[in-house]
Amino acid sequence: APMNDDGTAEVIRSDNAIIELDTMELEWDQAPDRSAHTRMAGDDPAIADISVDTDDLATTDPMAAHPKPLTEQQAALANTERGGGATAVDSTGGVEVSGPQENPTASFDFVVPNFLDVEEKRMLCDWYEHGGFRWRILLFPKGNNTLTFISVYLECGGPVSTSAQAVPDVRADAPLSFVSSDRSPGPWSRAARFKLMFVNLADEAALSQTPNADEEMVGTASSSAHEQRDMARSRRPTISQEAQYRFSHKGSDWGFLEFADRNVVEDPTSGFVVNGYAKLRVEVTLIDESALENSFSSGHWDSRKETGFVGLKNQGATCYMNSLLQTLYSVGAFRKSVYSMPLPESSGANGALNGDGGRARGGNVGVGVGGGSSASEEMSYALQKVFYELQYSPSVVKTKKLTESFGWDTSDAFTQHDVQELNRILCDHLEEKMKKQNPNERNTISQLFEGKLLNYIECVHVPYKSTREESFYDLSLNVKGCRNISESFEKYTEVEMMEDDNKYRADGYEELQEARKGVKFLKVPPVLQLHLKRFEYDFMRDVMVKINDRFEFQPEIDLSQFVENSDGSDVYVLHSVLVHIGDVHAGHYYVYIRPDLSADSRDSQAQWYKFDDEVVSKVKEEEAIEDNFGSGFERKTPPRTLHDGDEYGSSPNIQNGGQTPPSAYQPRSRVQARRLSNAYMLQYIRRDKVAELLSDASENDVPKELSARIRQDHDDEERRKKERAEQHLYIHVCIAEIEDMRNYHGPDLLDWDQLEKHRLKRTLLLGDLKRMISTSRRWRDTQQLRVWRCRRRENGTIRPDTLLAGGLDDAPISDTRLDGSRIQDPMKLFVELVQDQEIRQRVKELQKLRPMDELSRSQILLPSDSQILVFVKQYHPMPIPRVDMLWCGLFDRSSRVEDLVPLVRKISMLGDDEELLLFEEIGLDSVSKLPLEHTLFDLRMVHGGHIVVFQRVDARLQEAHALQVKKRALNSLETSAGAAETQGRAPRPTARGGFGMDADVGEDEAMLLSLSEDLYPAPQTEQKGLPLGGQPLPLAPHYFHYLFNRIIVEVRDCNAPDEFGFPVEFLKSYTYADMRRRVARALGGNKDPDFLRLYPLDLMLDGPRLEPLRYSTRDTLDAILIGTSYSGPTYVPAERKVLWYETTEYHVSEFEDHEEVRVTWRPDGGASGKRDQYQMSQDPDTETMQEDDEHQAPAWTSTKTFSVLVPFNAKFATVLERVAERLTLPANMCLRLMEVKNSCIVRLISPQEVVQRASTMFSGVSTSDSQSFELRCEPDVPRRPHHEWISVAHLAKEMKPRPKRDSRRLSFFGVPFLLQVDSEGETVASLRQSICERLEAGEDFDQWDLYEISDMTYLLDDPDLVWKPRAGAHIELAIEHKSTASNTHRKTSAFHSKPLKIRA
């Protein structure tokens, strides 16, 4: 396949652009003087435009080896006559070109001596000039990373002067810039089609017209020329491969990795190597870049230069939007109107620049790059900017700002929608804005796109006519059943007769009337947009399908015959064709436009352009129109090659012993089968309005304010690019102080994400940073600041660790940046304001060690080796739990914990009689009690940033704890009698009033937690505004555990699973019992949690799981909230944390020892009548007992769903007994059970059948069926003699009735029921009468159709037909009528269609 000589092919991006991998840098190797000769058939005087690029020129591998030079005699023999011009060789090795110079094709040979003995990996021939560019063959005789094939490439060395008549033989290792002074060293490109050949020398010599060939190459002729020709016919033909490529300074070679089989070439009998010589030939044809088959996807196409237009960037699946924007942009009147829309208010500057080049906001240091995000640009300005850039930008225009103004996110950009839907939403949105701008004037949208039509209904036999005028902005025309656009308009305006069952009720007439119904066009808009209905719903397959039928449209259409009172000027010319390629599930949009359309549609000067996302290209009219009619067109297409679907070996391009042709490996493009590519939207322009509507917008049509705003945005973007390019010189920091921590009441020190981020130079000195901070915070003295560097610990906390820059003011701040840390991660700094008292104390200590004149002020602030930074918090459990930061400072690590108590009392202003508890906040959910007698070093407080949390102790907790400690001590004394010391000791009162415990800390803390939970139980009622509904958090560990594990879950009722519930705060560590207690308290009404069951979410059902949580489960809420699906456990998204609750009549523990059977009780037997089956069987004339003041109907007379518990492996007879007990049914009432699925009765269940386990019972129920599965229990009415029970279902009515329907694709709804039918059969009229009476249906029943359900569904429309029930059928009859059921279908796929909205 065609590829680069380094063996790397080209890769395809999602937008079909090509990226070349590992572009090889080329250098020239020195080689001995040599002269290989070429014969050129012509020379192209035109040089292709050189593309602009900043990349360096490519050079060739210095390890290349070259063939030895040939003599003039050998070269002459190598360049045998092949027609065209002749080649003359001079003594210097130059080439004189003669012959027809207008021919763009040239050829030359590369003769390799001693081919079989070549050891060089790569060989190069001399440079030869053609068309102003240098060319040569690049040969890998042993293969390019392949052992069995010879690799051959064509290399282009760039442009040379067109005046040069000869190419001098230069050193192969000379750089291109030094080869010739007139050769351009800059970027270049040239498109060419070439054919590489490995010449069969024996065959060529035998067939040559010059029998006196060089004997050294072909050997001595021992036979006549005719004998040589006969021998040549038995040999293999010349090996050839063809390709095309755009050669450039970034990709200078292209060819074939597997050009020829080495075994074939080296075979002595093959004729490719004669007397050691081998010859390669290349034919080069210069072509225009637009002629390249994949020129647009090569990444080098300059749409602005080639066409004058630019494309739009595809964000993922926004091709439909790009096509629509290009269509609207090409209408000059629309573009001018968009330009004239008012601009939104500017967000303004962010502040003045500081000394480091950053931008200060709010008096803080640096640029706040992450402190907040500005509001999205208004849609009108974003659209103006896109249009402006389409008009003036030299390259592809991006649309990300526009989609952001729509309110779209990344998922919207990767969701493809219907282009016609976007057209309506976008234009409606613009029209609303224009109406607000000028409410008294007609807006541009209505002027361009609004038409008028008249809907009418005219009675045939009475003088009545109803009309209604309606506006339209586009027309949806039928494709199916129509051959062309004229037939679609005829079908659109055809008259429909309203007769038979579809008669019209006219005002003032009692009887229904026959009438004519139709549409007339009153006015057609200047810009007519036609939407071709290529997509429709297939009722047979229950899917959307694409209509790819042939549908013709003309460059000009006359709609005068369809317009009421037309003056004949309703003639329209085709302006754009928007094409959809693909099917319902996947596809691509692009558009053909004639921007320079004239009033005469036959004007051949109106060029068609194809706008395909980023690429714009010129096309012929037949490609824009005829190729998009759809399947069945009659245009002749070129013969298909191998990659078009031919069987291997049948293509004429297959040569070289089965080598795959180059075309089979061309880069993938968006070319698909023509039958899937067809027009989807057409835009016609009124012929007499063409000049007015399509006039291009000039600079004067763009408001100066708009131009200035766009230029300002461009400058800002360039500034941001510069900042990103220079970001390695800067560092982002977050700066916190003690006040920030005092305003924070959560775990750890701070929520760093809420702080403003600043951009500082890495070379900024610590002293300068202190001065900037002091200025912004209005602190007096910068020498009182200590700046601490905060680091993230393994437990996730972020604590101050070391002084920034070692605390030295003359050191740069970047010295403390960890190697390998990402630039995007801001450095976190804590600024400590040192108090005067601490400074004086520090000075006294240092004076004992050295004179003061030897100390700098920054050295005074340096902590000693034994000091660490400590933070002190206070926990308040009542009334609303919270924690407050009180103090931070240095503390000696050799001090005891009890030495902190006086400091704590001082800063909290507590008396000596107050009992205190001290804890250390180790991690986000790790708070441990501190023993007072231990030192900080003993507790591993050796680094800075430790947090001590203290709280006052309630008297009740203190007394209970002291009592428990005494009991534990006594128990210990009894168990260790005679020991010198006891294992546990009673608390000793401390002189400082600390609540000290000498017992094991872990055991003592567990005792405290247990006592606090017993002393402070949860309230019986929900208390709003308090954590966990008022649950006490008496100790600091309780509060921090709450902060770490709290979660909000929506709780819903199982009886209304789709209705919204109420939020409840849980802890992720809750057990199932905790969850039930929490839900019971939230429900109120003294709910007993032991009679509550909870159901987690099932992702596939998008509702509650089929089975509730088991009573014995040990999972916590965190594990329970993991949704279940068929692909395994999946974490439930944050917005889907839902639980369902159910109130039961059994204790939840009973469900563990019994089988639960869910039963739906239907006393009416599934019919919607007012009488239940039991009363009907007892006395058909007795009405159902109604609930009133005198008599209340029994509970069993209403439908309900409930559970009954039966022993494992019980029979359904036991289930019937439990149902009768539960509902208190009459003793003489017989019951029956049946299985209902998808609104159909599947089977009757025998009482002797064993009850299956719940998991087995639902195993056959699919995800979509589970919501409609029902185990129904109902009164069993005695069967009349010679009658059979049949099931009757409710069938959803179709829009178009059909006599036969596939039963596998039917849609049932409602509640099915059983009906008794004579075993010998009944007439259809009798069946309809029985069903009507059973349902107590009204007059509408006559409009309902009756169907027999079997493998196919048959309409029973003959009232005299006798129908007999069939044995074994679970569905036998269905009555078709409009569905009254709500749409409860849930999506079972995560890949669902996202609605198209513009939320600007």
Side-chain angles (χ1 to χ4, degrees):
M3 47 177 44
N4 297 316
D5 68 320
D6 58 359
T8 58
E10 296 183 335
V11 297
I12 312 298
R13 290 205 308 260
S14 59
D15 56 359
N16 294 327
I18 306 267
I19 302 176
E20 294 182 2
L21 298 181
D22 302 330
T23 302
M24 199 181 75
E25 295 186 356
L26 304 174
E27 297 179 358
W28 276 268
D29 189 19
Q30 184 175 3
D33 188 19
R34 62 203 181 274
S35 60
H37 302 274
T38 181
R39 180 196 51 78
M40 308 184 100
D43 192 3
D44 185 6
I47 301 179
D49 294 334
I50 299 176
S51 60
V52 179
D53 203 313
T54 58
D55 295 342
D56 296 333
L57 283 174
T59 54
T60 305
D61 190 347
M63 302 303 295
H66 303 278
K68 297 179 180 179
L70 302 180
T71 64
E72 292 187 13
Q73 185 179 13
Q74 294 170 339
L77 178 62
N79 292 280
T80 54
E81 186 67 31
R82 292 189 299 271
T87 303
V89 183
D90 60 14
S91 59
T92 63
V95 179
E96 285 187 13
V97 180
S98 62
Q101 300 295 317
E102 67 277 1
N103 194 330
T105 301
S107 64
F108 58 87
D109 293 344
F110 179 17
V111 179
V112 184
N114 303 319
F115 180 81
L116 299 179
D117 299 327
V118 169
E119 297 181 357
E120 292 84 353
K121 179 181 177 182
R122 182 165 62 176
M123 307 180 70
L124 295 158
C125 75
D126 286 333
W127 290 109
Y128 297 103
E129 179 185 349
H130 173 51
F133 284 78
R134 301 186 308 148
W135 308 87
R136 68 178 174 184
I137 296 176
L138 174 60
L139 169 66
F140 290 80
K142 305 300 183 182
N144 185 11
N145 297 322
T146 177
L147 299 178
T148 58
F149 289 92
I150 298 172
S151 304
V152 184
Y153 303 85
L154 175 64
E155 181 181 355
C156 181
V160 295
S161 173
T162 57
S163 61
Q165 295 299 320
V167 180
D169 188 16
V170 297
R171 288 178 47 189
D173 60 344
L176 181 61
S177 58
F178 294 105
V179 170
S180 176
S181 60
D182 58 354
R183 293 173 183 169
S184 173
W188 54 270
S189 65
R190 191 62 174 102
R193 183 182 299 112
F194 61 92
K195 181 178 182 180
L196 287 166
M197 293 169 281
F198 206 116
V199 180
N200 191 304
L201 294 176
D203 182 49
E204 185 178 46
L207 300 178
S208 173
Q209 298 300 323
T210 58
N212 297 325
D214 191 286
E215 295 181 1
E216 182 182 0
M217 180 180 295
V218 299
T220 304
S222 60
S223 60
S224 64
H226 295 287
E227 292 175 348
Q228 294 179 8
R229 294 192 188 97
D230 293 339
M231 294 174 59
R233 291 190 180 96
S234 64
R235 298 186 179 96
R236 295 180 180 269
T238 293
I239 299 173
S240 64
Q241 297 272 24
E242 296 184 47
Q244 58 180 0
Y245 184 64
R246 181 185 185 276
F247 296 90
S248 68
H249 60 285
K250 294 192 293 185
S252 60
D253 56 76
W254 194 247
F256 301 89
L257 180 68
E258 299 178 355
F259 179 76
D261 193 328
R262 286 183 57 191
N263 294 328
V264 173
V265 172
E266 296 174 2
D267 184 358
T269 63
S270 64
F272 288 106
V273 180
V274 177
N275 294 336
Y277 284 91
K279 181 164 67 173
L280 289 93
R281 179 176 299 154
V282 63
E283 292 181 358
V284 182
T285 303
L286 303 180
I287 60 176
D288 188 81
E289 292 189 6
S290 61
L292 288 173
E293 294 181 4
N294 296 280
S295 59
F296 310 135
S297 59
S298 63
H300 304 292
W301 181 256
D302 189 340
S303 296
R304 178 69 78 183
K305 183 180 72 174
E306 301 293 339
T307 65
F309 301 95
V310 293
L312 293 168
K313 183 72 175 177
N314 192 329
Q315 299 183 40
T318 56
C319 54
Y320 67 101
M321 181 187 71
N322 294 345
S323 301
L324 177 63
L325 292 177
Q326 293 282 17
T327 303
L328 297 176
Y329 167 83
S330 63
V331 181
F334 181 87
R335 193 192 327 166
K336 295 174 186 177
S337 177
V338 170
Y339 284 155
S340 64
M341 297 181 71
L343 293 176
E345 295 183 2
S346 177
S347 58
N350 289 330
L353 291 174
N354 61 22
D356 293 330
R359 189 178 297 274
R361 299 189 302 172
N364 292 333
V365 182
V367 175
V369 295
S373 59
S374 60
S376 298
E377 295 180 81
E378 289 191 13
M379 188 200 64
S380 57
Y381 172 64
L383 185 60
Q384 289 172 330
K385 189 175 181 181
V386 169
F387 280 8
Y388 185 89
E389 292 177 349
L390 282 175
Q391 187 166 348
Y392 296 107
S393 174
S395 58
V396 174
V397 176
K398 298 179 180 179
T399 58
K400 188 172 181 60
K401 291 293 184 181
L402 179 62
T403 55
E404 287 178 352
S405 71
F406 291 170
W408 294 0
D409 54 18
T410 305
S411 62
D412 292 285
F414 281 89
T415 304
Q416 187 165 119
H417 293 286
D418 184 77
V419 66
Q420 189 258 351
E421 182 184 7
L422 176 64
N423 183 32
R424 287 278 48 82
I425 295 176
L426 177 61
C427 289
D428 290 347
H429 199 87
L430 291 174
E431 186 175 20
E432 289 298 321
K433 287 183 174 291
M434 292 178 180
K435 286 180 179 179
K436 293 179 181 179
Q437 179 183 354
N438 297 307
N440 299 324
E441 298 180 6
R442 190 183 179 196
N443 61 81
T444 305
I445 300 296
S446 61
Q447 291 177 9
L448 295 178
F449 305 108
E450 185 181 14
K452 298 287 185 181
L453 54 81
L454 184 71
N455 293 287
Y456 68 89
I457 299 177
E458 184 178 7
C459 293
V460 177
H461 304 295
V462 297
Y464 180 84
K465 186 176 183 180
S466 173
T467 60
R468 177 173 56 88
E469 190 174 303
E470 182 181 337
S471 297
F472 69 89
Y473 288 82
D474 58 12
L475 293 175
S476 295
L477 300 181
N478 286 328
V479 172
K480 191 172 184 179
C482 301
R483 293 179 300 176
N484 51 49
I485 199 170
S486 298
E487 292 187 7
S488 290
F489 269 98
E490 292 173 359
K491 193 168 186 178
Y492 195 95
T493 57
E494 70 179 355
V495 177
E496 175 188 356
M497 291 302 299
M498 304 179 67
E499 52 190 4
D500 298 332
D501 295 338
N502 194 31
K503 289 184 179 180
Y504 178 69
R505 184 177 297 276
D507 294 341
Y509 298 91
E510 295 182 359
E511 297 181 355
L512 298 177
Q513 300 292 327
E514 293 185 0
R516 302 183 187 91
K517 180 181 179 182
V519 174
K520 295 181 180 179
F521 288 100
L522 301 179
K523 173 193 170 185
V524 186
V527 180
L528 179 60
Q529 294 180 334
L530 302 179
H531 165 231
L532 307 184
K533 295 164 71 172
R534 290 281 182 184
F535 299 95
E536 71 173 26
Y537 185 76
D538 188 333
F539 289 95
M540 290 295 293
R541 292 185 290 169
D542 192 26
V543 292
M544 289 293 295
V545 295
K546 183 179 179 183
I547 307 300
N548 293 299
D549 296 351
R550 179 179 174 85
F551 183 84
E552 299 180 359
F553 49 90
Q554 295 73 36
E556 179 178 296
I557 56 174
D558 188 352
L559 301 180
S560 301
Q561 58 177 320
F562 304 105
V563 180
E564 191 81 358
N565 301 322
S566 174
D567 58 359
S569 63
D570 296 303
V571 180
Y572 287 78
V573 290
L574 184 61
H575 176 242
S576 67
V577 180
L578 200 151
V579 177
H580 178 267
I581 181 170
D583 55 16
V584 174
H585 306 289
H588 175 63
Y589 288 94
Y590 52 87
V591 64
Y592 296 94
I593 303 177
R594 282 197 293 181
D596 303 324
L597 180 64
S598 65
D600 186 2
S601 64
R602 295 164 296 180
D603 184 5
S604 59
Q605 300 301 321
Q607 175 66 52
W608 281 95
Y609 296 88
K610 180 182 178 181
F611 295 80
D612 189 356
D613 287 337
E614 297 89 349
V615 177
V616 185
S617 58
K618 297 179 181 180
V619 297
K620 297 180 180 180
E621 181 176 297
E622 60 183 8
E623 179 181 341
I625 300 180
E626 297 178 27
D627 285 0
N628 296 303
F629 286 165
S631 61
F633 62 93
E634 301 174 357
R635 277 193 60 208
K636 294 183 179 180
T637 57
R640 301 194 319 173
T641 56
L642 178 66
H643 64 286
D644 292 323
D646 291 341
E647 294 294 331
Y648 183 79
S650 63
S651 173
N653 291 337
I654 299 179
Q655 302 176 24
N656 317 321
Q659 294 290 314
T660 305
S663 56
Y665 291 93
Q666 289 293 337
R668 179 175 61 87
S669 63
R670 286 178 176 145
V671 178
Q672 299 185 15
R674 291 184 181 273
R675 58 187 179 85
L676 298 180
S677 173
N678 35 56
Y680 185 65
M681 278 187 65
L682 306 174
Q683 182 165 281
Y684 282 87
I685 307 293
R686 192 180 181 92
R687 189 169 64 181
D688 54 6
K689 297 280 188 179
V690 166
E692 175 186 349
L693 298 179
L694 299 186
S695 60
D696 199 7
S698 63
E699 186 68 30
N700 296 329
D701 295 318
V702 182
K704 295 182 179 179
E705 297 81 3
L706 175 61
S707 301
R709 173 76 70 86
I710 294 176
R711 285 194 296 268
Q712 180 63 40
D713 288 348
H714 180 267
D715 294 341
D716 292 342
E717 179 63 25
E718 292 298 321
R719 176 181 55 81
R720 287 190 290 269
K721 288 181 180 179
K722 182 179 179 182
E723 290 178 355
R724 288 193 295 267
E726 297 177 350
Q727 64 181 353
H728 64 285
L729 303 176
Y730 293 84
I731 187 172
H732 297 283
V733 298
C734 294
I735 302 175
E737 57 174 302
I738 191 67
E739 286 301 322
D740 297 320
M741 300 178 180
R742 287 171 179 164
N743 295 328
Y744 174 70
H745 305 284
D748 208 5
L749 294 176
L750 201 61
D751 184 1
W752 293 91
D753 293 335
Q754 301 301 319
L755 294 182
E756 188 176 16
K757 298 177 181 63
H758 310 279
R759 184 169 177 262
L760 305 175
K761 282 188 175 180
R762 289 178 174 271
T763 57
L764 183 67
L765 300 180
L766 176 60
D768 296 333
L769 175 61
K770 287 182 178 181
R771 283 189 289 273
M772 296 166 65
I773 295 175
S774 178
T775 302
S776 63
R777 307 296 171 111
R778 298 182 180 179
W779 287 335
R780 298 187 305 274
D781 191 355
T782 60
Q783 301 302 326
Q784 290 185 255
L785 300 183
R786 271 198 294 253
V787 183
W788 295 86
R789 169 78 160 88
C790 302
R791 301 183 189 276
R792 184 180 296 275
R793 297 182 175 180
E794 293 183 359
N795 59 11
T797 60
I798 299 176
R799 304 288 177 83
D801 184 80
T802 56
L803 288 176
L804 182 67
L808 302 178
D809 291 347
D810 56 352
I813 62 175
S814 61
D815 287 348
T816 60
R817 187 71 177 179
L818 292 177
D819 294 336
S821 59
R822 296 183 304 172
I823 296 178
Q824 293 82 354
D825 295 336
M827 180 190 293
K828 299 171 179 60
L829 304 179
F830 168 64
V831 180
E832 178 193 4
L833 181 61
V834 184
Q835 301 300 321
D836 295 336
Q837 181 180 358
E838 180 182 346
I839 295 177
R840 289 193 294 268
Q841 180 65 27
R842 181 62 174 163
V843 170
K844 292 180 181 179
E845 296 175 358
L846 293 176
Q847 283 178 341
K848 300 177 182 179
L849 302 176
R850 67 182 71 177
M852 284 299 298
D853 55 0
E854 297 181 6
L855 296 174
S856 64
R857 190 63 180 268
S858 61
Q859 291 175 327
I860 296 175
L861 297 180
L862 295 178
S864 65
D865 294 338
S866 63
Q867 289 180 315
I868 60 174
L869 183 65
V870 177
F871 294 86
V872 177
K873 292 182 180 180
Q874 182 178 7
Y875 174 58
H876 304 274
M878 301 293 288
I880 300 178
R882 78 176 192 278
V883 63
D884 297 329
M885 174 67 70
L886 296 184
W887 179 86
C888 75
L890 298 178
F891 209 80
D892 198 294
R893 71 184 67 175
S894 62
S895 301
R896 293 177 178 270
V897 175
E898 61 184 359
D899 296 334
L900 283 170
V901 175
L903 174 64
V904 169
R905 294 189 183 280
K906 179 179 178 181
I907 60 179
S908 61
M909 295 182 293
L910 295 177
D912 293 341
D913 57 340
E914 295 283 355
E915 298 294 339
L916 303 177
L917 270 177
L918 272 66
F919 302 89
E920 182 190 3
E921 183 184 343
I922 302 173
L924 300 176
D925 189 28
S926 178
V927 179
S928 178
K929 183 179 174 296
L930 291 174
L932 297 180
E933 74 281 1
H934 288 190
T935 65
L936 301 186
F937 184 83
D938 294 337
L939 298 174
R940 298 182 179 180
M941 293 187 182
V942 293
H943 300 289
H946 294 275
I947 302 176
V948 175
V949 182
F950 75 92
Q951 70 173 97
R952 299 169 58 187
V953 181
D954 183 84
R956 290 188 298 166
L957 179 60
Q958 181 182 355
E959 294 174 2
H961 181 265
L963 181 61
Q964 284 293 110
V965 172
K966 289 179 180 179
K967 289 181 179 180
R968 185 179 62 186
L970 291 175
N971 293 335
S972 179
L973 287 172
E974 293 176 358
T975 56
S976 58
E981 292 183 357
T982 60
Q983 295 293 329
R985 292 168 292 181
R988 57 174 177 84
T990 60
R992 307 186 183 189
F995 194 41
M997 308 294 174
D998 288 337
D1000 179 75
V1001 175
E1003 183 181 353
D1004 189 70
E1005 185 175 351
M1007 182 194 305
L1008 278 172
L1009 296 175
S1010 177
L1011 287 174
S1012 63
E1013 293 173 0
D1014 295 337
L1015 292 174
Y1016 305 98
Q1020 296 297 323
T1021 59
E1022 187 82 357
Q1023 298 181 15
K1024 302 294 184 181
L1026 293 179
L1028 302 174
Q1031 180 174 330
L1033 303 172
L1035 296 179
H1038 290 125
Y1039 180 68
F1040 283 95
H1041 181 74
Y1042 158 75
L1043 292 179
F1044 184 77
N1045 291 282
R1046 59 183 173 181
I1047 185 174
I1048 303 297
V1049 178
E1050 181 185 357
V1051 178
R1052 299 183 181 181
D1053 189 352
C1054 256
N1055 295 322
D1058 294 325
E1059 296 182 3
F1060 290 105
F1062 53 92
V1064 179
E1065 189 177 41
F1066 291 83
L1067 294 182
K1068 290 184 287 185
S1069 58
Y1070 269 178
T1071 63
Y1072 187 33
D1074 296 330
M1075 294 162 55
R1076 288 186 283 107
R1077 284 193 291 268
R1078 182 72 187 90
V1079 172
R1081 189 166 74 249
L1083 290 173
N1086 296 323
K1087 285 281 186 181
D1088 191 341
D1090 290 332
F1091 290 84
L1092 284 179
R1093 290 196 301 177
L1094 300 180
Y1095 293 79
L1097 172 70
D1098 190 304
L1099 289 178
M1100 297 300 295
L1101 292 177
D1102 195 18
R1105 197 185 298 174
L1106 296 179
E1107 295 184 5
L1109 294 171
R1110 296 181 62 85
Y1111 175 74
S1112 59
T1113 182
R1114 296 185 178 181
D1115 290 338
T1116 61
L1117 177 62
D1118 192 24
I1120 290 171
L1121 284 179
I1122 298 178
T1124 59
S1125 65
Y1126 291 108
S1127 60
T1130 307
Y1131 280 97
V1132 181
E1135 64 273 12
R1136 298 311 315 276
K1137 293 183 174 65
V1138 187
L1139 288 174
W1140 284 263
Y1141 74 91
E1142 177 191 31
T1143 303
T1144 68
E1145 295 187 0
Y1146 302 94
H1147 194 281
V1148 289
S1149 62
E1150 296 185 46
F1151 291 93
E1152 297 289 306
D1153 305 325
H1154 294 79
E1155 186 65 55
E1156 178 188 8
V1157 181
R1158 195 77 170 171
V1159 177
T1160 298
W1161 168 251
R1162 294 191 180 277
D1164 58 1
S1168 58
K1170 298 181 180 180
R1171 305 197 303 176
D1172 59 78
Q1173 288 200 146
Y1174 173 72
Q1175 291 179 335
M1176 291 173 59
S1177 63
Q1178 299 299 313
D1179 183 4
D1181 297 328
T1182 304
E1183 293 291 336
T1184 303
M1185 292 179 291
Q1186 301 296 323
E1187 183 178 350
D1188 52 31
D1189 296 336
E1190 298 180 0
H1191 183 81
Q1192 184 171 350
W1196 58 264
T1197 57
S1198 60
T1199 299
K1200 59 187 64 179
T1201 301
F1202 53 88
S1203 296
V1204 295
L1205 298 182
V1206 297
F1208 293 124
N1209 299 322
K1211 296 182 179 180
F1212 276 101
T1214 308
V1215 175
L1216 295 177
E1217 294 174 3
R1218 297 289 188 270
V1219 171
E1221 295 173 1
R1222 170 74 180 272
L1223 297 175
T1224 318
L1225 298 177
N1228 60 344
M1229 180 182 291
C1230 298
L1231 303 178
R1232 64 186 174 199
L1233 286 170
M1234 63 189 68
E1235 181 181 339
V1236 179
K1237 187 189 297 183
N1238 288 338
S1239 299
C1240 298
I1241 298 176
V1242 178
R1243 65 187 182 97
L1244 295 177
I1245 300 176
S1246 171
Q1248 300 306 314
E1249 185 178 334
V1250 177
V1251 177
Q1252 297 177 339
R1253 297 300 302 269
S1255 58
T1256 307
M1257 186 180 300
F1258 288 100
S1259 62
V1261 182
S1262 67
T1263 303
S1264 58
D1265 296 340
S1266 57
Q1267 297 298 315
S1268 59
F1269 180 85
E1270 177 181 283
L1271 183 63
R1272 183 200 294 183
C1273 182
E1274 64 181 35
D1276 189 6
V1277 179
R1279 187 176 60 180
R1280 298 195 296 271
H1282 308 294
H1283 280 69
E1284 298 285 345
W1285 287 109
I1286 66 168
S1287 64
V1288 182
H1290 298 269
L1291 179 62
K1293 188 176 182 63
E1294 283 189 339
M1295 297 179 60
K1296 295 181 179 180
R1298 290 175 291 167
K1300 291 177 60 177
R1301 294 157 67 178
D1302 188 351
S1303 60
R1304 295 171 299 178
R1305 302 185 182 277
L1306 300 179
S1307 176
F1308 297 98
F1309 69 97
V1311 182
F1313 58 92
L1314 295 179
L1315 186 70
Q1316 293 194 46
V1317 178
D1318 195 320
S1319 302
E1320 299 300 325
E1322 295 185 18
T1323 63
V1324 172
S1326 176
L1327 290 173
R1328 293 182 60 88
Q1329 180 65 25
S1330 300
I1331 295 173
C1332 182
E1333 293 175 357
R1334 187 76 174 85
L1335 297 176
E1336 297 187 8
E1339 298 178 357
D1340 294 339
F1341 186 79
D1342 294 337
Q1343 307 297 325
W1344 297 1
D1345 292 328
L1346 183 63
Y1347 284 86
E1348 177 190 17
I1349 308 297
S1350 58
D1351 293 338
M1352 293 296 294
T1353 302
Y1354 298 94
L1355 176 64
L1356 302 178
D1357 55 353
D1358 185 0
D1360 298 328
L1361 176 68
V1362 177
W1363 182 85
K1364 291 183 63 176
R1366 295 183 298 109
H1370 67 275
I1371 309 176
E1372 293 170 317
L1373 293 180
I1375 192 75
E1376 185 190 47
H1377 57 104
K1378 185 178 180 181
S1379 175
T1380 58
S1382 59
N1383 184 15
T1384 59
H1385 174 70
R1386 295 188 176 97
K1387 291 182 174 66
T1388 60
S1389 173
F1391 303 100
H1392 56 272
S1393 176
K1394 192 170 184 179
L1396 177 61
K1397 294 181 180 179
I1398 291 181
R1399 296 177 283 273

